[in-house]
Amino acid sequence: MQWEFKELWRNLVEWVNSIGFPLEILGVVLAVLAIVVSIGLHFSARKQSRKNHTHILRALNSQKADHAFKSPKSAEAAELEEAVKKVGQSPHASPIDKAIADAYSLQKAGETEKAIEQWRSIAHLMEGVDNRIAARAWFSVGYLLSLSKNPIKEISAYDQAIRLDPGNSAAYNNRGSVKAELKQNEEAIEDFDRAIRLNPNHSVAYYNRGNAKVSLEQYEEAIKDYDQAIRLNPKYSAAYYNRGNAKVGLEQHEAAIQDYNEAIHLNPKYSDAYYNRGLAKAHLQQYEAAIQDCNEAIRLNPEDSAAYCNRGLAKASMQQYEAAIQDFNEAIRLNPKYSVAYYNRGLAKPQLGRIDEARSDLQTALRLAKEEGNEKLVATIIDALHALRQIDHPETK
């Protein structure tokens, strides 16, 4: 390129000399031309740079960002990879572009602490310069803190993202999710409300708001949110599953089974859906079918203590007490603090005349239920112990 400019200059000088054009004027013209070219190249480079980091940040800050990080083979992850690759190959990439690409690379490599520090540096550097970039950096800090199970700092990071970019629906959604994990469900719902107002097509926010409402036993309102999530994403298996759970809360077991069926159709390896479908079938006294669903849940997840416990319940309902106790044993082996499994085993053993063992199980269940603060279960166990005393001493009322 340098040679072409020299050749152009020589030809231009010869042409000017041939027509007698003042060389001084030519110098001024060329100086102006050089400035214009320089400015054009500068803005072209800035435009390309802005295009690069906009591409990366759009991927990082979308509601699909979590999915990209959690699913390395997803389309969202591929978009991030392509954006980072373009920055690495671009000679015009700005320092902030490179910093963002480096932060993502650290994140992908599992160097969480280093990635957090890099994102924080970007956030502090860009605040007041480009608050949207700073907000997106804080968003990534929040996501990474979720991996280290630090909810207080995670909420703080999303607070910063929202402060700098109040229109960031993904930050509201993620902050709401953390609050829900902390059982701050009313506050979580407020965040999901904001996320939905900012982005009415935010299916995940509807889903999360439904989960928070289920925790508050607002089952009918929760079902409305799951309906919206499914309308926006008809292949949302988790939304079908949790809508089924909400229907169970309303004792609508047959309708719940239909939702579990759809969840399993969309995700044949959905062990929780098999387990809960089995539980719904047990409520309808379809015990054989319930056992089959628990079998499948256990096959998919052999460490699922709840599936063993509920299979045991179905067997006990069919008066298969020995087989039921074996399932309760396995549930307790997998989870030694499983109060419900001790309680159920304590109810099954008297049917085989094992009164002392039953009493011991019920007392253990009572202790664990008190530790959990499960007052409803505590009252139920006390009633069972009273009934057991009557078996030992019929004259006792």
Side-chain angles (χ1 to χ4, degrees), residues 335-387:
N335 181 3
K337 293 188 177 182
Y338 198 166
S339 58
V340 174
Y342 282 104
Y343 168 71
N344 288 333
R345 192 171 69 175
L347 295 183
K349 286 180 176 177
Q351 308 301 323
L352 302 173
R354 296 158 62 175
I355 304 299
D356 290 341
E357 293 180 25
R359 184 181 298 106
S360 176
D361 277 343
L362 291 173
Q363 288 169 345
T364 301
L366 181 61
R367 175 177 57 79
L368 292 171
K370 286 180 177 178
E371 290 175 0
E372 296 164 2
N374 190 336
E375 296 179 3
K376 186 176 180 180
L377 182 57
V378 166
T380 303
I381 295 169
I382 289 172
D383 288 343
L385 283 167
H386 180 68

Side-chain angles (χ1 to χ4, degrees), residues 89-218:
Q89 294 174 343
S90 172
H92 305 300
S94 69
I96 193 65
D97 295 334
K98 293 178 180 178
I100 292 168
D102 288 345
Y104 172 69
S105 297
L106 289 168
Q107 188 168 318
K108 184 188 174 189
E111 298 187 46
T112 303
E113 292 301 322
K114 290 182 179 179
I116 288 173
E117 289 308 310
Q118 179 78 341
W119 283 121
R120 279 191 177 130
S121 296
I122 293 168
H124 292 310
L125 180 67
M126 297 307 295
E127 182 169 348
V129 177
D130 189 328
N131 283 347
R132 292 194 68 195
I133 293 180
R136 287 157 173 164
W138 279 118
F139 180 89
S140 292
V141 170
Y143 168 77
L144 290 170
L145 287 168
S146 73
L147 303 180
S148 59
K149 305 298 181 185
N150 195 329
I152 304 302
K153 289 185 178 180
E154 188 180 352
I155 287 175
S156 177
Y158 292 130
D159 287 344
Q160 294 291 343
I162 290 166
R163 176 179 65 82
L164 293 165
D165 182 8
N168 191 329
S169 64
Y172 279 110
N173 174 71
N174 282 22
R175 188 175 71 175
S177 296
V178 184
K179 290 177 179 178
E181 290 175 6
L182 295 172
K183 302 189 185 303
Q184 300 171 5
N185 290 296
E186 291 87 352
E187 293 182 26
I189 288 171
E190 290 178 3
D191 274 344
F192 298 137
D193 288 344
R194 293 190 185 100
I196 290 166
R197 281 200 297 271
L198 289 165
N199 180 5
N201 295 322
H202 203 320
S203 61
V204 176
Y206 280 107
Y207 168 78
N208 286 335
R209 191 170 69 177
N211 293 346
K213 289 176 179 177
V214 165
S215 297
L216 296 172
E217 299 184 1
Q218 299 174 5

Side-chain angles (χ1 to χ4, degrees), residues 20-288:
F21 195 78
L23 193 58
E24 291 81 1
I25 296 177
L26 173 64
V28 172
V29 170
L30 288 178
V32 171
L33 177 63
I35 293 172
V36 170
V37 170
S38 176
I39 291 173
L41 290 173
H42 172 73
F43 279 103
S44 175
R46 288 197 63 184
K47 182 178 179 182
Q48 181 63 37
S49 172
R50 188 162 56 248
K51 184 177 179 181
N52 287 335
H53 75 239
T54 299
H55 189 62
I56 293 178
L57 291 170
R58 183 172 64 249
L60 286 173
N61 200 42
S62 71
Q63 71 180 72
K64 300 178 181 178
D66 287 357
H67 183 69
F69 298 148
K70 295 174 184 176
S71 305
K73 296 182 180 180
S74 67
E76 293 81 10
E79 182 182 0
L80 283 171
E81 288 291 332
E82 182 63 22
V84 170
K85 182 179 177 181
K86 285 183 177 179
V87 167
Q89 294 174 343
S90 172
H92 305 300
S94 69
I96 193 65
D97 295 334
K98 293 178 180 178
I100 292 168
D102 288 345
Y104 172 69
S105 297
L106 289 168
Q107 188 168 318
K108 184 188 174 189
E111 298 187 46
T112 303
E113 292 301 322
K114 290 182 179 179
I116 288 173
E117 289 308 310
Q118 179 78 341
W119 283 121
R120 279 191 177 130
S121 296
I122 293 168
H124 292 310
L125 180 67
M126 297 307 295
E127 182 169 348
V129 177
D130 189 328
N131 283 347
R132 292 194 68 195
I133 293 180
R136 287 157 173 164
W138 279 118
F139 180 89
S140 292
V141 170
Y143 168 77
L144 290 170
L145 287 168
S146 73
L147 303 180
S148 59
K149 305 298 181 185
N150 195 329
I152 304 302
K153 289 185 178 180
E154 188 180 352
I155 287 175
S156 177
Y158 292 130
D159 287 344
Q160 294 291 343
I162 290 166
R163 176 179 65 82
L164 293 165
D165 182 8
N168 191 329
S169 64
Y172 279 110
N173 174 71
N174 282 22
R175 188 175 71 175
S177 296
V178 184
K179 290 177 179 178
E181 290 175 6
L182 295 172
K183 302 189 185 303
Q184 300 171 5
N185 290 296
E186 291 87 352
E187 293 182 26
I189 288 171
E190 290 178 3
D191 274 344
F192 298 137
D193 288 344
R194 293 190 185 100
I196 290 166
R197 281 200 297 271
L198 289 165
N199 180 5
N201 295 322
H202 203 320
S203 61
V204 176
Y206 280 107
Y207 168 78
N208 286 335
R209 191 170 69 177
N211 293 346
K213 289 176 179 177
V214 165
S215 297
L216 296 172
E217 299 184 1
Q218 299 174 5
Y219 301 119
E220 292 181 353
E221 290 300 312
I223 287 170
K224 292 177 184 177
D225 278 337
Y226 295 133
D227 289 345
Q228 286 293 341
I230 291 166
R231 181 184 65 80
L232 292 166
N233 180 4
K235 294 185 178 181
Y236 205 156
S237 60
Y240 282 103
Y241 167 74
N242 278 4
R243 189 172 70 177
N245 294 342
K247 290 176 181 178
V248 166
L250 295 172
E251 302 292 330
Q252 299 173 3
H253 300 293
E254 290 183 356
I257 287 170
Q258 294 303 313
D259 276 339
Y260 296 139
N261 289 345
E262 188 61 27
I264 291 167
H265 170 72
L266 292 168
N267 180 5
K269 295 183 179 181
Y270 206 151
S271 62
D272 286 348
Y274 281 105
Y275 157 71
N276 276 17
R277 188 175 71 175
L279 195 57
K281 289 176 179 178
H283 276 285
L284 297 173
Q285 299 183 357
Q286 301 173 9
Y287 300 120
E288 290 284 2

